[in-house]
């Protein structure tokens, strides 16, 4: 019998990889220096949006190639591509819009797309009994990584001030390629037929993760589009917040009487410490909670609470401690997306098919990553940051309602014409089989 590795090494490798892939969330640390070099607020958000969109599109391709190429190769490809992207941004001078957009946005985003699906798919196969928790752990590094890269470039390491944007980009590129290469060592699926001691495979029934949907079958289901919508608005709102978490609070704080230096320090702390740490913690906590509450209920609570927080954030951004609280709550809920939606996809459309199916769901992240950050940049240039956050808040509340209508699909229904009456008949606000866990 083939010898198996300790499955916790898989978690270590996954976190190491995600620490680097999460660099895209550190983008806001570069925006003040780029603005000082003559960039507009919209240009800073375009690079961010290009990275997010490329990430999502390439992830679909990577998911389709996962079985053929293998997880270790895909992870390695992702790390090298990401590293090369940042090297190109640095070699272009660090302040060239097209050089940075190509390197960090297009090539760097592609590298993240190649690598991101690997820890999720591999982790679920090694920990089938704790899908929510292990997905949260696997992607926690993506959230925590932002804090490290932000602080290294900013107030702790002072890399941007010391060696400049160009050298900082290149140094990050080398670090990303090296660390992801190390993490890829443990990216290997368990042997055929392996399962944890005492674990029984799920029954072939709807919503259990045991009924496998092909991509075309999933695309015919209304559940896919409801999940897609919710992920797009929930993730998109958080992505806009990331892009503006330094620019908007700096303006709000100065309007409240803080000096420029004080506002810069407070806004940087809100993003690099409170948002980033809560982002990582939210992935683990929401993932673990979903194993108890039911995946749909957890998503509904997360999206609904995020909507309310975003609506109140405009009155919090100008006060130091309220800003810290708001940044932490937004980060906490935002992080939950990346633990909950892979697990919800596995529950609805099959555990074994998640590597192929989740990248299609994740396209919503790319759509949200284009629309909402660009919306924030446009409204910011117009002096209307508060309106942008309010629009995002309402969108999240709509998403909570949409996911409330998700019900377990059946593969035989995927081959039948869609019926609104049948959909409404099956739709429930709560997962009835999870009610006992709620009360």
């Amino acid at each position: 019998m083939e010898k198996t590795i300790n499955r916790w090494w898989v978690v270590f490798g996954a976190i190491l990889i995600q620490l680097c892939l999460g660099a895209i969330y550190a983008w806001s640390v570069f925006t003040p220096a780029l603005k000082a070099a003559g960039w507009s607020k919209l240009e800073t958000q375009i690079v961010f949006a290009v990275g997010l969109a490329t990430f999502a599109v390439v992830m679909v391709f990577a998911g389709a190639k996962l079985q053929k190429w293998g997880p270790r190769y895909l992870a390695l490809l992702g790390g090298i591509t990401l590293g090369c992207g940042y090297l190109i941004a640095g070699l272009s001078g660090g302040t060239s819009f097209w050089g940075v957009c190509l390197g960090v946005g297009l090539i760097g985003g592609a590298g993240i797309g190649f690598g991101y699906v690997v820890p999720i798919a591999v982790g679920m196969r090694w920990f089938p009994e704790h899908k929510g928790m292990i997905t949260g752990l696997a992607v926690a590094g993506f959230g925590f990584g932002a804090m490290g890269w932000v602080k290294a470039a900013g107030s702790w390491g002072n890399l941007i001030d010391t060696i400049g944007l160009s050298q900082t980009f290149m140094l990050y590129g080398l670090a990303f390629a090296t660390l992801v290469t190390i993490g890829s060592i443990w990216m290997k699926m368990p042997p055929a037929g392996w399962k944890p001691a005492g674990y029984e495979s799920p029954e072939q029934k709807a919503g259990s993760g045991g009924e496998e949907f092909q991509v075309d079958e999933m695309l015919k289901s209304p559940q896919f589009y409801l999940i897609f919508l919710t992920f797009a608005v929930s993730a998109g709102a958080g992505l806009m917040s990331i892009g503006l978490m330094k620019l908007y609070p700096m303006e709000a704080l100065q309007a409240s009487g803080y000096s420029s230096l004080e506002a810069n320090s407070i806004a940087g702390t809100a993003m690099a410490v409170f948002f980033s740490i809560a982002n990582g913690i939210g992935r683990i906590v929401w993932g673990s909670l979903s194993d108890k509450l039911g995946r749909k209920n957890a998503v509904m609570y997360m999206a609904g609470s995020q909507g309310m927080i975003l609506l109140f954030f405009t009155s919090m951004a100008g006060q130091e401690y309220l800003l810290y609280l708001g940044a932490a709550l937004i980060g906490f809920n935002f992080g939950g997306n990346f633990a909950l939606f892979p697990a919800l996809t596995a529950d609805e459309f099959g555990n074994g098919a998640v590597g192929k199916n989740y990248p299609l769901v994740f396209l919503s992240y790319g759509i949200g990553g284009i629309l909402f950050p660009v919306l924030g940049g446009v409204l910011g240039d117009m002096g209307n940051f508060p309106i942008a956050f309010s629009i995002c808040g309402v969108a999240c509340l709509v998403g909570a309602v949409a996911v409330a209508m998700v019900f377990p699909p059946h593969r035989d229904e995927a081959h039948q014409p869609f019926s609104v009456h049948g959909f409404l008949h099956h739709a429930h606000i709560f997962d009835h089989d999870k009610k006992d866990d709620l009360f």
Side-chain angles (χ1 to χ4, degrees):
M1 189 179 204
E2 184 178 349
K3 184 179 179 181
T4 60
I5 61 173
N6 184 323
R7 59 181 180 164
W8 288 101
W9 280 110
V10 175
V11 178
F12 174 75
I15 293 174
L16 197 60
I17 291 170
Q18 296 281 21
L19 282 172
C20 298
L21 303 187
I24 194 167
Y25 291 160
W27 173 247
S28 65
V29 75
F30 299 109
T31 56
L34 292 170
K35 280 186 62 190
W39 287 37
S40 70
K41 294 173 183 175
L42 179 58
E43 284 176 325
T44 67
Q45 295 307 294
I46 286 174
V47 174
F48 189 51
V50 168
L52 296 173
T54 307
F55 167 19
V57 171
V58 172
M59 186 175 159
V60 175
F61 174 79
K65 295 296 183 181
L66 179 61
Q67 185 173 358
K68 182 178 180 181
W69 290 0
R72 185 175 295 167
Y73 176 81
L74 269 181
L76 186 60
L77 177 62
I80 293 174
T81 304
L82 175 62
C84 286
Y86 274 74
L87 285 172
I88 289 171
L91 291 171
S92 73
T95 57
S96 164
F97 172 74
W98 292 109
V100 175
C101 193
L102 172 66
V104 175
L106 195 63
I107 299 175
I112 298 170
F114 281 126
Y116 186 82
V117 72
V118 173
I120 294 172
V122 173
M124 283 192 185
R125 292 288 291 275
W126 281 101
F127 291 85
E129 76 277 35
H130 298 297
K131 285 184 292 187
M133 180 196 75
I134 205 61
T135 303
L137 286 171
V139 300
F142 204 91
F144 285 127
M147 181 187 72
W149 304 119
V150 165
K151 284 300 186 181
S155 59
W156 292 349
N158 293 309
L159 289 177
I160 295 176
D161 291 338
T162 304
I163 63 176
L165 277 172
S166 177
Q167 296 295 323
T168 301
F169 280 135
M170 289 193 283
L171 180 62
Y172 276 14
L174 292 173
F176 297 155
T178 301
L179 293 174
V180 174
T181 297
I182 295 171
S184 68
I185 293 171
W186 297 283
M187 292 300 102
K188 182 180 180 182
M189 295 293 187
W194 177 90
K195 61 182 181 180
Y199 174 73
E200 295 297 330
S201 299
E203 298 178 18
Q204 296 292 317
K205 67 178 184 178
S208 70
E211 193 173 18
E212 305 290 341
F213 281 68
Q214 298 300 315
V215 169
D216 61 331
E217 294 173 329
M218 179 183 71
L219 294 177
K220 293 176 183 177
S221 70
Q223 292 89 337
F224 169 78
Y225 297 98
L226 291 168
I227 293 170
F228 192 96
L229 171 64
T230 305
F231 197 4
V233 298
S234 183
L239 291 168
M240 188 203 73
S241 299
I242 289 172
L244 301 180
M245 190 53 73
K246 191 161 188 180
L247 293 176
Y248 172 46
M250 282 179 64
E251 291 187 3
L253 288 164
Q254 289 180 71
S256 297
Y258 291 87
S259 70
S260 176
L261 186 63
E262 289 173 330
N264 182 64
S265 175
I266 293 169
T269 299
M271 176 63 204
V273 178
F274 288 91
F275 185 100
S276 297
I277 291 177
N279 182 11
I281 293 173
R283 295 162 189 250
I284 300 171
V285 173
W286 275 117
S288 299
L289 282 175
S290 75
D291 288 332
K292 300 289 186 181
L293 299 176
R295 226 73 65 188
K296 183 180 80 172
N297 295 333
V299 173
M300 184 172 60
Y301 299 150
M302 178 197 68
S305 60
Q306 185 76 311
M308 296 303 299
I309 294 162
L310 288 167
L311 290 173
F312 284 113
F313 187 68
T314 56
S315 62
M316 304 169 75
Q319 302 298 321
E320 180 179 358
Y321 294 106
L322 287 177
L323 170 61
Y324 293 156
L325 175 62
L329 292 173
I330 292 172
F332 182 79
N333 283 330
F334 175 69
N337 286 290
F338 307 100
L340 297 181
F341 282 98
L344 179 60
T345 303
D347 286 349
E348 297 288 311
F349 305 113
N351 295 333
V354 71
K356 289 183 177 180
N357 289 336
Y358 181 57
L360 273 296
V361 173
F362 197 78
L363 279 176
S364 60
Y365 172 93
I367 293 174
I370 293 173
L371 296 179
F372 287 89
V374 170
L375 170 71
V378 170
L379 290 174
D381 283 330
M382 295 170 60
N384 287 321
F385 278 134
I387 294 178
F389 280 88
S390 296
I391 290 172
C392 287
V394 173
C396 285
L397 294 176
V398 171
V401 174
V403 82
M405 295 189 290
V406 171
F407 60 91
H410 298 274
R411 289 189 67 247
D412 56 351
E413 292 177 352
H415 301 283
Q416 301 296 324
F418 173 59
S419 164
V420 174
H421 178 269
F423 170 73
L424 293 175
H425 174 73
H426 287 290
H428 301 287
I429 296 299
F430 291 98
D431 292 327
H432 293 296
D433 60 342
K434 295 288 184 180
K435 273 189 174 179
D436 291 339
D437 295 326
L438 292 171
F439 304 102

